Amino acid sequence: MPKITVLPHETICPNGKEFEVPAGTNLARALLDNGVPIEHACELSCACTTCHCYIDKGFDTLAPAEDDEEDLLDQSWGLKSNSRLSCQTTVGDEDITVEIPKYSRNHAREAF
């Protein structure tokens, strides 16, 4: 099973985390199920950018992003060449390293 390494994030995952999941697992669901509370304002439906992350290792082993994901990524805070929406990313057969950006654009949360 591929290993997911989550780099430390000041508020979401201060100590970082490592866990294994079966290939074919949705990345956002894997993060949530393993205690990494990544934001997901649209409930994993590819309608926002709150689950935006960077794949620091293993990016090239993932299936390419679809057009809908690419369009939303253009609106993400801190877009990089290794950016993905975790709700649209399926874990492949290789280990990956995930970095959660310092900020996200969560308009629902920012309104309060």
Side-chain angles (χ1 to χ4, degrees):
M1 284 198 297
K3 178 176 68 173
I4 297 176
T5 301
V6 181
L7 298 178
H9 181 279
E10 184 177 320
T11 57
I12 294 174
C13 190
N15 297 318
K17 193 158 206 164
E18 287 188 354
F19 53 90
E20 292 182 347
V21 298
T25 300
N26 175 277
L27 179 57
R29 179 59 45 212
L31 293 168
L32 292 167
D33 289 348
N34 286 278
V36 181
I38 192 163
E39 291 188 50
H40 55 289
C42 71
E43 295 301 321
L44 313 181
S45 67
C46 194
C48 71
T49 63
T50 59
C51 70
H52 170 231
C53 65
Y54 307 119
I55 308 298
D56 289 345
K57 176 186 168 200
F59 181 84
D60 294 334
T61 68
L62 303 172
E66 300 284 331
D67 289 342
D68 289 345
E69 180 183 357
E70 291 285 351
D71 291 344
L72 281 170
L73 281 170
D74 288 339
Q75 302 170 34
S76 297
W77 181 91
L79 182 67
K80 295 182 182 179
S81 61
N82 62 336
S83 288
R84 292 298 301 263
L85 296 181
S86 62
C87 74
Q88 298 302 299
T89 303
T90 301
V91 177
D93 294 323
E94 303 292 325
D95 296 348
I96 60 173
T97 299
V98 177
E99 178 183 357
I100 300 169
K102 184 173 184 176
Y103 301 109
S104 76
R105 291 189 173 144
N106 186 343
H107 298 292
R109 187 185 68 201
E110 292 168 2
F112 298 100

